[in-house]
Amino acid sequence: MKGKTTMTVIIGLICVVLVSVMFMQFKTISRIDITALENMQEKDLRNEINTSKTKYEDKVKELEDINLKIAEFNENADNNRKISELLTNELDQLKALAGLKSVSGSGVVVRLEDRQNSKVYANNLLELVNELKLAGAEAISINGERIVYDSYISDVGGEFITINGERIVSPYEVKAIGNPTYLESGLSKKQYGYIDKQKIEYNITVTLERKNNITINEYTGDLNFKSARSINS
Amino acid sequence: MVLIAIIIGCAVGALIGMNAPIISYTYSGYLAIAIVAALDSVFGGIASTIKGKFDMVIFVSGFFGNAILSILLTFLGEKLNVDIYLAAIVVFVGRMFTNLAIIRRHYIDKWVNRNKEKAE
């Protein structure tokens, strides 16, 4: 009797195990069904397509990046060209200002001449240059010698006048570019104006002429600082 | 008594199996082989009961032993890239048919004998 009970229990347990496992399997199979295998292959293919797509997108992105870089380089090149143009322009302007370029424009020509018993001295010319600058002259030359930032006018032994180390002799032709009206009126004030003063005090011939087109040549010497150094702020 | 145990066992097993978590597809192949082996053992058990040679220990050990062995063989076949589970299925299902034939003949004989007795 005892053996039969054990057997019954064991058979029951075995039935539990077998049927439970079978149902588990049924459930799995019904959920996954036979298309799962096909799905798996499809999944593989999909994965491959996805990876290819990702790769393609990456490459497209790379291409875009490179194109952007090329565009940037081109822009930079353009900018550089513009900058160099600007720099060239600025350089030209600065050269013109410094007197290293020939300039032309309207202005006045002042002529000073020695007389038999009265000479033109450096002081006369210096004063003239000063007056012209006061009246707004932008470029001045005396007998073709351009007045630049370090120009000097001095007498040499009472015989000659030197400008920028070059000897010049009478008649002295002073060309000045600027507003001719201002220049003329600045020089020809009555009595204490430059021209009258020269005539009265120094007894030298001074003539003034307005001209529409004066060309002033460039300074031919070197313009170099030897002691001064520019400070980069 | 035994019949009640079988019915109760089947019902409980069905409930457990329905509520159990889903096994991943990779392992369901092993489980299928195990089920076939267990079924073979069950039919073998029934056949031996009919013959009157039923042994509880042999039945239980065959039930679990065959299941585990078939799983192991299938696993080995997977590793060797040989479909060993095919051989297991052939053997188990073949034996299942043999056992079923024995059971069928037994009950047919019984039925025929009863008819004869009634006729007499």
Side-chain angles (χ1 to χ4, degrees), chain A residues 92 95-110 129 132-133 136-148 151 163-164 173-179 183 209 211-220:
Chain A
D92 283 352
K95 267 186 174 175
L97 282 173
L100 292 171
K101 282 209 135 197
S102 299
V103 289
S104 67
S106 55
V108 294
V109 176
V110 182
V129 168
L132 285 169
K133 280 185 176 169
E138 287 160 9
I140 301 166
S141 76
I142 302 176
N143 283 14
E145 284 298 324
R146 180 78 173 261
I147 305 291
V148 291
S151 294
I163 293 183
N164 300 341
E173 192 188 48
V174 179
K175 290 179 185 170
I177 291 176
N179 188 323
L183 291 175
E209 202 185 338
K211 274 195 173 174
N212 277 333
N213 197 7
I214 302 172
T215 305
I216 295 181
N217 288 333
E218 77 266 26
Y219 177 68
T220 47

Side-chain angles (χ1 to χ4, degrees), chain A residues 59-127:
Chain A
K59 291 289 166 200
V60 166
K61 216 176 251 181
E62 240 170 70
L63 181 69
E64 264 172 25
D65 280 357
I66 289 169
N67 278 340
L68 269 181
K69 264 184 197 166
I70 289 171
E72 218 169 279
F73 280 134
N74 279 339
E75 212 171 293
N76 275 352
D78 272 2
N79 280 350
N80 281 348
R81 209 176 303 138
K82 264 178 208 165
I83 286 168
S84 67
E85 256 170 45
L86 272 177
L87 284 177
T88 314
N89 283 346
E90 208 175 320
L91 185 65
D92 283 352
Q93 220 171 339
L94 287 174
K95 267 186 174 175
L97 282 173
L100 292 171
K101 282 209 135 197
S102 299
V103 289
S104 67
S106 55
V108 294
V109 176
V110 182
R111 208 178 280 268
L112 288 88
E113 257 177 275
D114 292 354
R115 281 194 183 163
Q116 272 182 341
N117 45 11
S118 60
K119 262 176 71 70
V120 176
Y121 289 102
N123 277 339
N124 304 108
L125 289 175
L126 274 172
E127 203 177 331

Side-chain angles (χ1 to χ4, degrees), chain B residues 3-83:
Chain B
L3 205 70
I4 293 165
I6 287 169
I7 290 164
I8 290 171
C10 284
V12 172
L15 279 175
I16 292 173
M18 298 252 232
N19 295 318
I22 286 177
I23 318 137
S24 81
Y25 185 80
T26 345
Y27 302 117
S28 77
Y30 302 115
L31 212 61
I33 290 295
I35 287 166
V36 171
L39 279 175
D40 167 59
S41 293
V42 167
F43 287 118
I46 293 167
S48 54
T49 313
I50 285 161
K51 284 178 188 166
K53 287 193 288 183
F54 181 76
D55 188 330
M56 196 65 209
V57 177
I58 288 172
F59 173 66
V60 173
S61 65
F63 183 88
F64 290 107
N66 277 351
I68 291 163
L69 203 68
S70 58
I71 286 172
L72 288 176
L73 278 175
T74 311
F75 180 71
L76 183 68
E78 198 110 307
K79 291 285 159 213
L80 292 173
N81 198 20
V82 178
D83 294 338

Side-chain angles (χ1 to χ4, degrees), chain A residues 155-170:
Chain A
D155 298 314
V156 179
E159 299 256 337
F160 309 106
I161 295 176
T162 61
I163 293 183
N164 300 341
E166 298 284 330
R167 286 177 180 179
I168 54 168
V169 290
S170 176

